[in-house]
Structures are given as C-alpha cells and as structure tokens.
C-alpha cells in the first residue's frame, strides 16, 4: 500500500493476521484500522488508530502524539467522511463526524482517564486535538 510507513504497515499486518491483536507499544490498547480515501489522491489509505467506545459510537482522536498538525487520516475523513473500520475480525462501513464543544471535551477527558498519555499530547501542542465519532452505517 502506498504512503504507509514501515512501522504502520507492520502494525496493520499484525492486526489483520491476529483478529485485531497486536504487540509492541499498542499491546492491550483498543486499536482499530481506519480505512479512508485520500483527500488529495483519492487513493485508499489504512491507519492504525486507538479508539474509545461511546455507546453505539466509536471515538477516535487526531492526536498525532501532540504534533503541531493533525494526522493525514483526519484530513482524509473530513474530506470524505465515509470510512471502513476494521475492529477485531469485524469490518464495517461508518460515517465520521467531528465532535466539538462540550461533547468533544467530555470525550477527550474520558480518553485521558483510560489513557493518560493523551493529556501529554494535548499539552505538547497549541492546537485543540480533534475528536471524531464514527457511526456505523
């Protein structure tokens, strides 16, 4: 697959070979594969992303480990909100919606509670880390 670095490709391959289970830094973390369409290229892209369950929705965070800019997948789903999610051995279509305001803050705080490193990501950047809800189609 084009434009996927070696580290991400290794995680993607391991995820798919083991029904969503991976080792290394993501071992035990709630991880999904987000399949988007490139905003500029129109090409399919796959990204390993940590998630938080929120009722019927799956919530993801465009942290990029606190980098000054959002990850490519965020720009892709803003341009093309129809995505495919791989969760464990399951695959399904979903629609992405950027969450803002008090709901964004509530969801980000919930993520920090289960994975405190996300607070460091927010502290390391001047941008507000976007929060995105995925709803099954």
């Amino acid at each position: 697959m084009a434009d996927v670095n070696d580290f991400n490709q290794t995680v993607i391959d391991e995820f798919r070979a083991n029904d969503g289970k991976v080792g290394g830094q993501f071992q035990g973390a709630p991880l999904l594969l987000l399949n988007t369409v490139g905003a500029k290229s129109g090409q399919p892209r796959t990204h390993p992303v940590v998630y938080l369950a929120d009722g019927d929705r799956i919530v993801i965070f465009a942290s990029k480990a606190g980098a000054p800019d959002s990850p490519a997948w965020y720009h892709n789903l803003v341009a093309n909100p129809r995505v495919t999610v791989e969760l464990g051995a399951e695959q399904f279509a979903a629609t992405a919606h950027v969450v803002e305001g008090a709901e964004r803050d509530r969801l980000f705080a919930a993520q920090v509670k289960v994975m405190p490193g996300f607070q460091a990501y927010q502290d390391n950047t001047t941008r507000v880390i976007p929060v995105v809800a995925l709803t099954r189609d």
Side-chain angles (χ1 to χ4, degrees):
M1 170 170 285
D3 262 6
V4 176
N5 68 38
D6 290 340
F7 175 78
N8 278 354
Q9 190 60 58
T10 299
V11 173
I12 291 165
D13 292 345
E14 185 178 5
F15 183 102
R16 288 178 172 158
N18 297 296
D19 292 332
K21 292 181 178 38
V22 298
Q25 75 181 63
F26 293 115
Q27 184 170 350
L31 191 70
L32 60 78
L33 296 183
L34 178 67
N35 296 286
T36 64
V37 174
K40 293 179 184 172
S41 70
Q43 297 299 307
R45 304 282 185 237
T46 301
H47 316 272
V49 181
V50 168
Y51 73 91
L52 176 73
D54 182 59
D56 291 341
R57 302 182 307 176
I58 296 170
V59 181
I60 56 177
F61 305 86
S63 67
K64 198 174 178 184
D69 58 335
S70 295
W73 64 256
Y74 175 74
H75 301 291
N76 292 347
L77 64 74
V78 167
N80 301 299
R82 304 257 312 139
V83 300
T84 302
V85 175
E86 296 176 54
L87 186 59
E90 183 183 11
Q91 184 171 325
F92 56 90
T95 301
H97 170 76
V98 177
V99 180
E100 297 177 330
E103 184 182 15
R104 179 258 171 225
D105 295 345
R106 174 185 70 81
L107 292 166
F108 194 82
Q111 179 66 7
V112 167
K113 194 171 194 175
V114 295
M115 296 185 81
F118 275 78
Q119 186 60 56
Y121 297 160
Q122 185 59 76
D123 292 345
N124 288 338
T125 186
T126 57
R127 68 186 172 92
V128 174
I129 292 175
V131 174
V132 179
L134 304 174
T135 306
R136 290 176 187 253
D137 291 345

